[in-house]
Amino acid sequence: MAEVKPDGAGRHRTRANIVECAARLLREHGAGAVTTRAVAQAAGMQAPTIYRFFEDKDALLDAVAEHVFATYVAGKTLAKDSGDPVADLRAGWDTHIGFGLANAALFGLLVDPGRGPGSPAAAAGLEVLRARVHRVAAIGRLRVPERRAVELIHAAGTGAVLTLLATPPEHRDLDLADAMYEAVTRSILTDVPTLPAGSAAAAAVAFRAVAPELTMLTETERALLSEWLDRVGDGSTTPGAAAGPG
């Protein structure tokens, strides 16, 4: 008897069912339980069917990560910007910590360097962080280059979650995450939105954030301006260098 292939809506439902079953196995039993056979059994299908929707286990886990992360964020009021970039940066940190603690097995997969290139879910999370840091830079509150700020926040957030997850729940000190955030922001943020005298680095970072939008300059001029501002923003100078060409 010929196999009847599902239509588009049927494929979508089947794929969603596979992802839901894999997410439940991951949440309840850890990454080791997410095998093709186990997922297929939980979804009520033959194991080869999984490969019609996902190239391999990593592709399935990426889909699970995106599904769980999207579901988590959708239920939070933090999904929308408040209009205060600094407050939104803190809100994003809290979301990151909460997500990691609520999804221990999944978080471990997302930050596991042994899985090869980063998952789409992890990449999307970094893009959200970059956007929030960029908005902070644009109002003059960032004292370091945007890339440096993103790396510091990402490293601190990942480290805080992994440290808390390695501690038995009854002994976790959730203030650790708050202390880590305060330590990082003291090194990357200025105290006030108006740039005080002597804050050349903060001014350069703020100007660097909007430099690509200066369409009255040529592409070459914008690139050169960005290079100069990056040099001021990260504090690198060349002693004895001439002020300009010629």
Side-chain angles (χ1 to χ4, degrees), residues 136-158:
V136 172
I139 63 169
R141 291 293 306 273
L142 205 61
R143 69 169 75 247
V144 300
E146 292 181 44
R147 179 176 176 179
R148 181 67 169 175
V150 169
E151 291 172 344
L152 286 170
I153 296 170
H154 179 63
T158 300

Side-chain angles (χ1 to χ4, degrees), residues 15-240:
R15 186 183 189 280
N17 183 40
I18 294 171
V19 172
E20 288 280 1
C21 291
R24 184 169 62 252
L25 286 170
L26 181 66
R27 182 174 60 253
E28 296 177 355
H29 304 291
V34 186
T35 64
T36 302
R37 182 181 298 275
V39 174
Q41 183 176 0
M45 62 185 60
Q46 297 296 317
T49 304
I50 303 293
Y51 294 106
R52 298 177 188 170
F53 297 87
F54 303 98
E55 180 180 357
D56 51 28
K57 180 179 175 179
D58 281 346
L60 173 58
L61 289 173
D62 284 342
V64 170
E66 292 170 17
H67 168 72
V68 175
F69 188 74
T71 301
Y72 181 83
V73 173
K76 301 295 179 181
T77 57
L78 303 179
K80 294 183 178 180
D81 296 328
S82 69
D84 181 343
V86 175
D88 290 338
L89 188 64
R90 176 57 195 258
W93 170 276
D94 291 338
T95 298
H96 176 79
I97 299 298
F99 175 79
L101 296 181
N103 300 274
L106 179 58
F107 189 85
L109 290 172
L110 290 174
V111 300
D112 179 10
R115 290 191 63 222
S119 74
L126 271 176
E127 282 305 311
V128 172
L129 175 58
R130 290 190 186 100
R132 295 197 175 198
V133 167
H134 179 74
R135 289 194 290 271
V136 172
I139 63 169
R141 291 293 306 273
L142 205 61
R143 69 169 75 247
V144 300
E146 292 181 44
R147 179 176 176 179
R148 181 67 169 175
V150 169
E151 291 172 344
L152 286 170
I153 296 170
H154 179 63
T158 300
V161 172
L162 291 177
T163 298
L164 290 171
L165 289 177
T167 306
E170 64 272 18
H171 297 305
R172 287 176 187 167
D173 178 8
L174 297 181
D175 288 339
L176 172 69
D178 293 334
M180 182 70 80
Y181 183 79
E182 293 300 326
V184 171
T185 53
R186 278 197 299 271
S187 70
I188 68 172
L189 299 182
T190 60
D191 294 331
V192 291
T194 54
L195 300 175
S199 295
V205 170
F207 195 16
R208 175 67 177 84
V210 299
E213 301 173 12
L214 301 178
T215 56
M216 71 290 295
L217 301 179
T218 67
E219 183 176 349
T220 300
E221 290 170 335
R222 288 195 298 272
L224 183 58
L225 176 60
S226 295
E227 180 183 346
W228 289 341
L229 293 170
D230 283 342
R231 193 178 303 168
V232 175
D234 65 16
S236 62
T237 58
T238 305

